[in-house]
Amino acid sequence: MKTSSENYFVKGLRDGVPVFLGYLAVSFAVGIAATGAGFGILQSGVMSLLNFTSTGEFSALELYKQSAPLYELAILEFIVNMRYILMSCAMSQKLSPRIGTLPRLLVAHGVTDEIFGLSVLQKGELRPAYTYGLIVAGEIGWTGGTMIGAATGRVMPAMIAACLGLAIYGMFLAVIVPGARDSRPVLCVVLCAALMCTAFKVIPFLSAVSEGFRIIIVTVVISAAAAVLVPHVEDDFPEEARED
Amino acid sequence: MYIAVMAAVTYLVRMLPLTLIRKKIKSPFIRSFLYYVPFAALAAMIFPSVFTATGNVASSTVGCAAAIIAAYKKKTLTVVAAIACISAFCVELVMRVI
């Protein structure tokens, strides 16, 4: 049991490499924005360590600069992070009901776009240790990058940052393409979501919708349509669930 | 104080569903819905932004196409991510030369 969870942790660390690189590319800019808003290096690091979200941090810094009241900050954070509710619900179904409260509390910190994507598309049930590995790899990149950005005031050279940014997309593709290849309904979901999201960005009136909401709307509409048209009834975790 | 409030709200949003929903949901509709959520959400996050990820449509598209092919062949995560970065980087280099 001990060795098995250690293995999952190491696997998480290994799969966390692209997360680490991708976060490093973005977090320098967070550090610069934080010092721009008047935060110190340590404060910037603590903010990134505890929040672990790019949109949430960037928009909070904007409010901080305008010295907006705290309740406004709370409402804004809730709105920009609303997609995490959906992700957290999906992740709850991926954990065995036997998993206790403490692991759930820890896994919850890892509900970011990237760590959610990797965790929830694991084969079989999700081992919390795997997500811990991803969180450690991601946090080193995210918090470390924020502090370096805050300390140096420099972004990464554009060409390197751009290519690292592509690492996140590559990683996303690595988790959804095999699913889409093996299942017709999943392929349709992926294609429809991609088309709908593109339509949202191109059509004049719809393009006013913020990115966070665009993702929520597309996800809810496409998943609900797929659930009605092609219900997925199989057992989520065949034999693996009874392994230990 | 600012950091505490933003961290608290962000964490609660992430934590409540995971801790409150402990059982397997029975409803076939909700189960199917949640099964499709990650695919739809990730696809929505990838497209269309992936085509402008490097700031250049040509290198982004090549990187994306290379990643899809590698993922289709079931390469591991890190390999797929590396292939995407390296192929985009090569296109950028070639374009500088031309």
Side-chain angles (χ1 to χ4, degrees):
Chain A
M1 183 67 202
K2 181 79 191 154
T3 49
S4 118
S5 67
E6 265 167 29
N7 285 344
Y8 279 99
F9 181 75
V10 171
K11 184 166 186 284
L13 280 180
R14 213 180 315 127
D15 286 356
V17 170
V19 181
F20 164 81
L21 292 174
Y23 283 3
L24 200 60
V26 179
S27 56
F28 276 55
V30 175
I32 293 166
T35 45
F39 279 30
I41 298 170
L42 193 65
Q43 269 181 311
S44 313
V46 170
M47 174 184 75
S48 276
L49 182 72
L50 296 179
N51 285 279
F52 209 17
T53 167
S54 67
T55 342
E57 290 180 31
F58 276 123
S59 33
L61 288 170
E62 277 309 307
L63 284 197
Y64 182 76
K65 274 195 266 186
Q66 300 158 17
S67 19
L70 286 174
Y71 74 89
E72 237 175 69
L73 173 75
I75 295 170
L76 175 91
E77 284 300 306
F78 178 76
I79 292 173
V80 295
N81 288 323
M82 229 148 65
R83 68 183 185 286
Y84 293 145
I85 298 179
L86 209 56
M87 294 181 186
S88 182
C89 289
M91 233 154 127
S92 76
Q93 295 303 296
K94 194 69 185 168
L95 288 171
S96 151
R98 286 170 300 157
I99 305 274
T101 306
L102 182 65
R104 283 172 190 268
L105 291 175
L106 294 174
V107 164
H109 184 60
V111 182
T112 66
D113 297 347
E114 293 75 18
I115 296 177
F116 157 79
L118 295 191
S119 298
V120 84
L121 291 178
Q122 282 297 296
K123 288 246 154 38
E125 83 179 54
L126 171 63
R127 308 304 176 113
Y130 177 71
T131 305
Y132 302 160
L134 293 174
I135 292 175
V136 169
E139 279 282 19
I140 294 173
W142 187 247
T143 306
T146 303
M147 292 179 75
I148 298 173
T152 61
R154 273 165 214 259
V155 287
M156 277 202 173
M159 201 161 139
I160 297 177
C163 289
L164 288 182
L166 207 58
I168 295 285
Y169 292 104
M171 179 193 90
F172 279 158
L173 288 166
V175 289
I176 63 167
V177 169
R181 161 190 149 141
D182 298 336
S183 152
R184 209 25 93 71
V186 168
L187 178 64
C188 292
V189 163
V190 167
L191 293 178
C192 292
L195 280 177
M196 188 173 166
C197 207
T198 309
F200 256 78
K201 217 165 180 174
V202 177
I203 297 171
F205 172 70
L206 290 175
S207 62
V209 178
S210 77
E211 196 187 356
F213 272 105
R214 189 161 67 218
I215 293 168
I216 295 176
I217 296 168
V218 170
T219 304
V220 169
V221 170
I222 301 288
S223 306
V228 171
L229 297 172
V230 197
H232 179 85
V233 280
E234 293 142 64
D235 192 356
D236 276 344
F237 340 113
E239 63 270 60
E240 278 143 293
R242 284 170 280 280
E243 180 190 37
D244 51 2
Chain B
M1 192 62 207
Y2 236 73
I3 296 178
V5 169
M6 63 195 268
V9 176
T10 307
Y11 185 64
L12 284 176
V13 161
R14 287 172 165 153
M15 179 271 278
L16 289 175
L18 258 169
T19 44
L20 295 180
I21 311 174
R22 304 207 146 214
K23 292 187 189 140
K24 290 280 160 230
I25 293 171
K26 294 265 160 54
S27 148
F29 172 75
I30 296 180
R31 285 188 59 153
S32 306
F33 174 76
L34 291 177
Y35 168 77
Y36 289 119
V37 158
F39 294 105
L42 292 191
M45 286 181 229
I46 300 171
F47 300 100
S49 7
V50 64
F51 297 115
T52 49
T54 64
N56 175 289
V57 178
S59 65
S60 306
T61 308
V62 170
C64 173
I68 292 176
I69 294 168
Y72 194 84
K73 295 193 170 160
K74 304 214 165 169
K75 301 283 181 214
T76 63
L77 263 174
T78 313
V79 172
V80 175
I83 289 175
C85 295
I86 294 167
S87 46
F89 194 76
C90 291
V91 173
E92 294 269 336
L93 280 183
V94 169
M95 286 195 309
R96 298 235 162 149
V97 172
I98 295 173

